[in-house]
Amino acid sequence: MTSQTTTHEFQAETKKLLDIVINSLYTERDVFIRELISNAADALEKFRHESLTVEDLFDAHMPLEITIDLDKDKHTFAISDTGIGMSRAELEANLGTIAHSGSNTFLTQLAEAARKDVNLIGQFGVGFYAAFMAGQRVRVQSRSWDGSEGHEWASDGSGSYTISEEKGLHRGTRIIVELKDDAHEYGEKWKVEQIIKQYSSFVSFPIKLEGEVVNTVQALWTRNRSEISEEEYAEFYKFVGNAATDPMYRLHFSADVPLAINALLFVPRDNFEHLGFGRVDPGVNLYCQRVLIDQHSKHILPEWLRFLKGVVDSEDLPLNISRQSLQDNALLAKVRRVITKRFLKYLDEEAKKDPAAYLEFWKIFGIYLKEGVTSDYEFQKELGKLIRFESSRSEAGIPVALAEYVERMGEGQETIYYISGPNRAAIEAGPYVEMFRRRDIEILYTLEPIDDFVLNHLGEFEGKKLVSADRADLDLGEDKRSAEDQGEPQQETMDEGSSAVLVSWLKKTLAEKVKEVIISKRLVDSPAMIVNPDGYMTSSMERIMAVSRLEKGIAPEAGKKNLEINPANPLIKRLAELQKSDEPFAQAVAEQIYDNAMIQAGLVVDPLTLVERNYKILNRAAGV
Ligand code: ADP
Ligand code: MG
């Protein structure tokens, strides 16, 4: 025998992982069978894919299948596949380390997931190590498709594993799980069959359990929609999505022109990024004529649809397309466009059919659609229909569609207005909405940091411009309805001479801070407000850019704003007099008005200066 056994330590992360798998996950250990079957199927898919382009494959005659053999007396569970196999180096690399190398956060998240719901482990790809949930010792015999000598990997899952040469193996992998004393049930046919039916019915290779094929090998997505039951869809979703619940939405569609496509897409119930698991990987697999070309494909859908699970199959793609060339394949780009448009259309239809259900979707996945608007020009028109915002006419917490806004627009209104704020109450108490209230014009509330970027990128909807209400050049037209009409006492406006004097004094006093001081045509009650002379940047956007500059260690450079003052406001009128009689105090008041307006715009002021000045003013008011 040339065979020589070498002993290797597991990578530190792998040890921790094994510890979690063995000690925390044992309650749901049925899933180890699913993990091993899924690896076997992956290996078969990889082989099938290679065999399309490579000739003279080792053991080419072997049928592509998965075989499970049980030994009730010796208490073993053995699973074999005729897939791609592993060389000695691959056994070491794949089964001795975790791909997510050095990731302690990964382990923390995994431990957390294990505590919450063991079905989440599939999402993490701990895969193979699940064998140690049921096995006290696990042996992996494998021979690579390149025909190099086979090897056996063996471990009890504690600290190390051994590798030795193993003669006479066929191509593929055989994993022998020597069952723990309390796991002997996995040596029983009925038990294993039940688990396969539950988790692995849709594996696209025959699974032979003690000589008998126990799954139905079929590509569900190529079947006629009317012949597929709800249960089959739900089971399939759990299979492709590694999910424990039913999906929120499902779209099964087929097209022949311009391209032959079969797609089956699911929206899950949870957003794993929200749940704090980091960025999710794409969840849609790309097939070509039922052959898996690219699992969890990054290319078949835009990145912002990474929350979707499912399958896309196109007969028009060349079968021998390599994974590298997927990136810039023109045909694939076409398929992606067709599917994306179809999916967005489906969402729009669902939103109309059942608005409440759509809002549920929007609450959980809306952030991805917003990401789509800001990162992808191609689908803006479709996405514009799907985004939702609260507004001055919506109920609190019930966002509306841009289309609803447009439908409610008064005659002659050509613009969709919005204003950002931390919440409804803050916006409604602020200066920006008063003129809209007065003119009875609806205004959208952008409550999330990304929202202004979204509307800014979108630019317009159905030919109506989207404009932030804090723009300096906003023109709402003359306020035709007099205050008397609305039953309010008419506020006397400052005469032009005094207001001109006040404006030039304010400009001088606040020269360091403001770009322009302007007599407002739109303020109703508030004394002043900050508006943005740069038509594209809103205060909310500026605040976020400032934060991101700070995070990068760059000094935030705030562009100077315009200050609009309300000539009918009593404080402003009084300020005009004060400026003549007590200039130092007038200056403090002017600066305080400016700071207050900045705060209402959500912008940063220097809190120390503000508090000091505020006390000065309070002292005076209190007669100190
Ligand atoms: P994942 O399947 O998410 O990659 P696993 O822990 O399940 O993670 O498997 C680790 C790696 O081991 C796989 O990526 C694959 O390279 C290899 N592997 C596992 N099982 C097999 C098998 N039956 N045949 C060939 N390679 C396998
Ligand atoms: Mg796996």
Side-chain angles (χ1 to χ4, degrees), residues 39-40 42-43 46 81 84-86 94-95 125-129 173 175:
N39 283 350
D42 287 351
K46 284 180 197 158
D81 65 70
I84 200 159
M86 282 177 276
N94 297 341
L95 307 186
V126 300
F128 167 75
Y129 300 105
T173 302
I175 298 177

Side-chain angles (χ1 to χ4, degrees), residues 530-542:
I530 292 291
V531 294
N532 289 285
D534 171 0
Y536 291 101
M537 191 67 98
T538 71
S539 296
S540 155
M541 288 162 76
E542 187 164 305

Side-chain angles (χ1 to χ4, degrees), residues 137-341:
R137 198 166 107 94
V138 176
R139 287 185 285 144
V140 181
Q141 301 174 336
S142 197
R143 186 159 187 192
S144 167
W145 62 302
D146 64 14
S148 60
E149 203 52 71
H151 289 87
E152 180 176 278
W153 178 104
S155 176
D156 62 5
S158 52
S160 62
Y161 59 90
T162 58
I163 298 188
S164 51
E165 206 172 281
E166 182 81 21
K167 295 246 182 252
L169 297 179
H170 277 297
R171 184 194 73 232
T173 302
R174 179 176 174 81
I175 298 177
I176 303 139
V177 181
E178 297 173 8
L179 298 167
K180 293 178 182 173
D181 289 343
D182 60 356
H184 285 173
E185 54 183 347
Y186 299 112
E188 310 259 3
K189 187 178 176 197
W190 67 268
K191 174 73 180 171
V192 174
E193 182 166 357
Q194 179 204 329
I195 297 170
I196 295 172
K197 291 245 151 85
Q198 187 180 352
Y199 292 117
S200 307
S201 309
F202 296 98
V203 168
S204 49
F205 298 93
I207 303 174
K208 282 188 184 161
L209 177 60
E210 312 227 83
E212 189 191 328
V213 177
V214 287
N215 63 329
T216 31
V217 183
Q218 57 183 352
L220 186 78
W221 58 92
T222 59
R223 278 170 47 195
N224 202 319
R225 259 170 303 186
S226 58
E227 292 163 9
I228 305 172
S229 70
E230 285 299 317
E231 289 73 34
E232 279 178 296
Y233 275 128
E235 285 306 312
F236 184 73
Y237 164 66
K238 288 177 187 165
F239 170 69
V240 283
N242 262 334
T245 52
D246 286 349
M248 178 163 351
Y249 281 135
R250 169 187 86 222
L251 170 65
H252 186 183
F253 94 101
S254 314
D256 294 320
V257 279
L259 292 158
I261 296 172
N262 274 302
L264 181 47
L265 302 175
F266 300 94
V267 174
R269 292 220 166 258
D270 298 307
N271 174 4
F272 283 90
E273 289 185 17
H274 263 184
L275 295 176
F277 290 126
R279 203 174 169 78
V280 299
D281 286 332
V284 175
N285 302 330
L286 175 63
Y287 285 76
C288 170
Q289 297 166 39
R290 290 169 220 196
V291 177
L292 182 65
I293 303 287
D294 193 18
Q295 190 164 30
H296 304 310
S297 182
K298 286 194 171 69
H299 311 293
I300 190 56
L301 287 170
E303 215 185 331
W304 45 272
L305 285 177
R306 60 188 175 278
F307 62 95
L308 291 182
K309 309 283 183 192
V311 168
V312 171
D313 193 333
S314 175
E315 311 221 336
D316 288 329
L317 292 174
L319 249 183
N320 57 6
I321 190 167
S322 76
R323 285 180 201 205
Q324 289 76 19
S325 65
L326 283 173
Q327 193 154 3
D328 38 37
N329 184 282
L331 209 52
L332 188 64
K334 251 190 211 163
V335 176
R336 177 174 54 221
R337 188 157 55 243
V338 170
I339 295 171
T340 305
K341 291 213 165 173

Side-chain angles (χ1 to χ4, degrees), residues 38 54 106 206 233 246 306 311 414 420 424 560 569-570 594:
S38 133
V54 180
F106 164 75
Y233 275 128
D246 286 349
R306 60 188 175 278
V311 168
E414 285 303 324
S420 121
R424 262 187 104 86
K560 279 189 186 172
N569 178 277
Y594 168 82

